[in-house]
Amino acid sequence: MSYSHLLVCVAVSPESHLLLSRAVSIARPHNARVSLVTLAAEPEMFNQMAAPMLEDLRGVLQEETQQFLQELEEKAQYPIERTFIATGELSEHILDICRKQNIDLVICGNHNQSFFSRAACSAKAIVRSSLVDVLLVPLGGA
């Protein structure tokens, strides 16, 4: 089966390079489009006094995420159609992107780290609620 537009769920971690490499190996033979989605890290609000510092931290985290996505794009050796930085519930964003961008394959890493665990849960939600194929790629580590 060939796919026309892949959505790869990445995180600011070295494993994302492996995940994107796998996606490119699927996309390249069919000249499929590849897009990326990630969650922006959200600092927790502890009290009102910390709010100004958290806003600065939020900006730094957003910039770090954007820089990592740019690095992924540069190292992919394949054109990246779009990148999305989401906040909140990842599965809802993935489903919305799939509908709006005509995604026909979502690729997630299967890992025990927090982001990848959330991505795996999101993949289960996608499988339950849509017709989009989902590929879970084992990333090793326990």
Side-chain angles (χ1 to χ4, degrees):
M1 170 176 249
S2 64
Y3 296 98
S4 63
H5 196 174
L6 290 64
L7 180 64
V8 186
C9 304
V10 297
V12 180
S13 73
E15 289 91 352
S16 292
H17 292 279
L18 171 66
L19 202 57
L20 183 54
S21 176
R22 179 70 57 92
V24 168
S25 72
I26 294 168
R28 183 171 273 132
H30 305 287
N31 292 320
R33 295 174 293 150
V34 175
S35 292
L36 307 175
V37 63
T38 191
L39 279 177
E42 279 290 318
E44 307 239 338
M45 289 275 196
F46 292 105
N47 62 41
Q48 289 180 336
M49 291 180 65
M53 292 186 305
L54 290 175
E55 285 302 318
D56 291 342
L57 180 58
R58 199 172 274 114
V60 168
L61 292 171
Q62 181 80 12
E63 183 177 325
E64 177 186 77
T65 302
Q66 191 64 45
Q67 286 176 345
F68 186 76
L69 288 173
Q70 185 174 358
E71 177 188 326
L72 275 177
E73 286 186 61
E74 291 168 0
K75 291 184 178 182
Q77 298 180 340
Y78 193 82
I80 302 301
E81 178 86 8
R82 295 206 46 197
T83 58
F84 302 92
I85 299 176
T87 57
E89 182 56 44
L90 183 61
S91 63
E92 292 174 14
H93 289 288
I94 291 171
L95 292 171
D96 186 54
I97 293 167
C98 287
R99 282 189 296 268
K100 291 179 179 174
Q101 302 298 318
N102 296 315
I103 302 293
D104 51 6
L105 177 64
V106 175
I107 301 176
C108 299
N110 189 12
H111 199 291
N112 285 338
Q113 291 180 357
S114 62
F115 173 83
F116 291 110
S117 295
R118 290 166 67 183
C121 292
S122 296
K124 291 175 188 174
I126 293 167
V127 170
R128 282 193 309 266
S129 60
S130 77
L131 300 176
V132 174
D133 289 348
V134 178
L135 174 62
L136 291 178
V137 177
L139 296 173

